[in-house]
Amino acid sequence: MEKKTYGIKIECIQGDIASQTGIDAIVNAANAQLRIGGGVAGAIHRAAGPGLEQECRPLAPIRPGEAVITGAHNLPNKYVIHCLGPVYGRDKPEDRLLSSCYRNALKLAEQNEIRSVAFPAISAGAFGYPIEDAANVAIKTIMEILPDLRNVAIIRFVLFNTSDLEVFNSALSSMK
Ligand code: AR6
């Protein structure tokens, strides 16, 4: 589904974050070392090629809630914004740290005059964040930031499977 608020389009789709043609920046659910890993990070680094890890090396490590930006190498985008989400049950307070990921990613997007950004469900895989809670934090945070955005006009959530898509759709539709 999609929604337009403050002139900004927010949409949720099912798909692979590493094949978002036509989107300026994709967001990586990174590890602290910004290395290739599993899940989103694995898909992004495999599609980007080894140049991405090389560019990431001097930027690591990052802490939960932080974000850094790099080029996109062989991906069909201009930038990758790498966020380290909280490990559920370990990095606290989880909701604040997860919210910071979205805030810091959008701050970098604004600074780099990025028009469109695609996010995965940060922390909702290997890091164990329950998908409903992760979706609510993600959508609520985005809604709070919308009035401050000047450059970003499209925010896309890319969910890997239909059940996660339904959860994000219902979080989005329940927001004013
Ligand atoms: N496109 C979109 N979503 C995906 C994709 C994909 N290609 N692959 C998985 N997902 P995760 P995290 C979904 O584990 O929880 C890594 O190993 C997945 O179903 O990628 O933040 C890193 O190296 C889940 O809903 O990120 C870190 O160590 C969501 O994306 C650690 O995992 C996030 O899953 C980060 O864990």
Side-chain angles (χ1 to χ4, degrees), residues 63-87:
R63 287 173 303 183
E66 289 184 343
V68 293
I69 189 165
T70 64
H73 300 264
N74 298 333
L75 284 156
N77 314 96
K78 287 190 205 135
Y79 299 99
V80 178
I81 299 172
H82 308 260
C83 293
L84 178 61
V87 174

Side-chain angles (χ1 to χ4, degrees), residues 15 35 99 115 145-146 148 150 176:
R35 306 286 290 270
S99 181
R115 199 173 168 277
I145 298 171
L146 287 186
D148 301 328
R150 298 289 171 268
K176 276 185 275 168

Side-chain angles (χ1 to χ4, degrees), residues 11 21 24 37 69-70 84 97 102 106 111 115 120 124 147-148:
E11 59 185 12
T21 309
D24 294 334
I69 189 165
T70 64
L84 178 61
L97 292 170
Y102 289 95
L106 286 169
Q111 285 165 1
R115 199 173 168 277
D148 301 328

Side-chain angles (χ1 to χ4, degrees), residues 15-18 29-31 35 37-41 43 120-128 131 158-161 164:
D16 179 353
I17 194 75
N31 49 66
R35 306 286 290 270
V40 166
I122 300 169
S123 283
F127 283 177
I131 189 74
V158 180
L159 291 317
F160 214 34
N161 57 52
D164 290 354

Side-chain angles (χ1 to χ4, degrees), residues 42-104:
I44 287 178
H45 277 278
R46 274 194 304 277
L52 181 60
E53 240 190 17
Q54 241 167 42
E55 190 184 349
C56 282
R57 207 160 294 147
L59 305 174
I62 62 170
R63 287 173 303 183
E66 289 184 343
V68 293
I69 189 165
T70 64
H73 300 264
N74 298 333
L75 284 156
N77 314 96
K78 287 190 205 135
Y79 299 99
V80 178
I81 299 172
H82 308 260
C83 293
L84 178 61
V87 174
Y88 195 77
R90 188 189 79 185
D91 301 321
K92 290 177 190 289
E94 287 104 341
D95 56 346
R96 286 262 299 278
L97 292 170
L98 185 57
S99 181
S100 293
C101 286
Y102 289 95
R103 285 179 190 281
N104 287 326

